[in-house]
Amino acid sequence: RNHLHIVMLLLRYGAAQGAALLDAQGNNCLHYAARGGASLTLVKVLLMCGCPNVRNQAGQLPGEICRSKMNFDASAAISE
């Protein structure tokens, strides 16, 4: 479970360029991290290249998804 290390490697090798891309439902990497219960550290790393103010097609912001999953630390980090 060394997800943070993998994310850091991906970012170092150019993944940040695609981090703001949206899928067919309007989700970006932060939506997926929020839905998956990502750690505060991972959310902070993704914030460096993600777009926290993008609503998906369901009208949800990544921070709202974190709150719905009771991940309040990550929600606060996204909302800063």
Side-chain angles (χ1 to χ4, degrees):
R1 302 208 115 220
N2 200 1
H3 302 293
L4 183 58
H5 175 71
I6 292 168
V7 170
M8 295 301 289
L9 280 173
L10 289 169
L11 292 175
R12 184 179 322 144
Y13 290 101
Q17 296 171 359
L21 294 176
L22 304 176
D23 68 8
Q25 291 77 41
N27 296 301
N28 65 24
C29 63
L30 283 170
H31 289 93
Y32 281 99
R35 191 172 297 115
S39 70
L40 177 59
T41 304
L42 178 56
V43 167
K44 286 184 176 184
V45 169
L46 292 175
L47 279 170
M48 291 189 286
C49 55
C51 299
N53 298 318
V54 174
R55 291 189 182 275
N56 61 18
Q57 289 182 0
Q60 301 168 306
L61 292 169
E64 294 169 343
I65 296 171
C66 283
R67 281 190 296 280
S68 74
K69 299 288 185 179
M70 308 298 244
N71 192 349
F72 300 115
D73 289 337
S75 174
I78 291 173
S79 299
E80 287 179 352

